[in-house]
Amino acid sequence: MDKALEENLWGALENVIDPELGIDIVNLGLVYGVDLDENGLATVTMTLTAMGCPLAGHIESDVKRALSDIPEVEETEVNIVWNPPWTKERMSRYAKIALGIPD
């Protein structure tokens, strides 16, 4: 995948807002990776801030909707993983400032 397309995928994911925190999933550090194969299958590997998150289905739907706007994406698969575990250190400086978390 070329760099411009990869940046488009990550940029689209920045439009997916965690409904509980009001910050996008990229800046929260929830997205571990995104890949696009030759058949147009986008695979997003991500985690959530806590196991059993009641909004997991909502976030997954938003991820699929965000990537569907990119012409090269035919289908999106979301893989929720728990290892490595999410910690606040994965958050961007922007997210920490927005949530009042010291850097």
Side-chain angles (χ1 to χ4, degrees):
M1 166 172 46
D2 69 38
K3 197 71 174 161
L5 179 53
E6 184 178 8
E7 287 177 14
N8 283 347
L9 294 170
W10 282 95
L13 292 174
E14 287 181 348
N15 293 314
V16 178
I17 305 298
D18 181 299
E20 290 182 309
L21 299 175
I23 306 288
D24 70 86
I25 62 174
V26 172
N27 277 292
L28 284 173
L30 298 177
V31 180
Y32 292 165
V34 61
D35 190 39
L36 184 68
D37 72 14
E38 64 279 352
N39 297 317
L41 173 64
T43 304
V44 178
T45 303
M46 63 176 292
T47 193
L48 300 169
T49 55
M51 269 192 199
C53 173
L55 297 169
H58 177 78
I59 293 171
E60 186 174 334
S61 294
D62 286 354
V63 166
K64 290 179 178 181
R65 192 174 309 110
L67 294 185
S68 71
D69 290 338
I70 296 175
E72 294 86 350
V73 175
E74 297 293 326
E75 184 181 355
T76 299
E77 184 176 288
V78 179
N79 292 329
I80 305 289
V81 298
W82 301 109
N83 201 14
W86 178 85
T87 63
K88 67 180 181 184
E89 285 74 32
R90 295 192 61 87
M91 295 169 65
S92 71
R93 186 169 184 274
Y94 161 77
K96 289 178 182 176
I97 290 170
L99 294 173
I101 297 172
D103 201 2

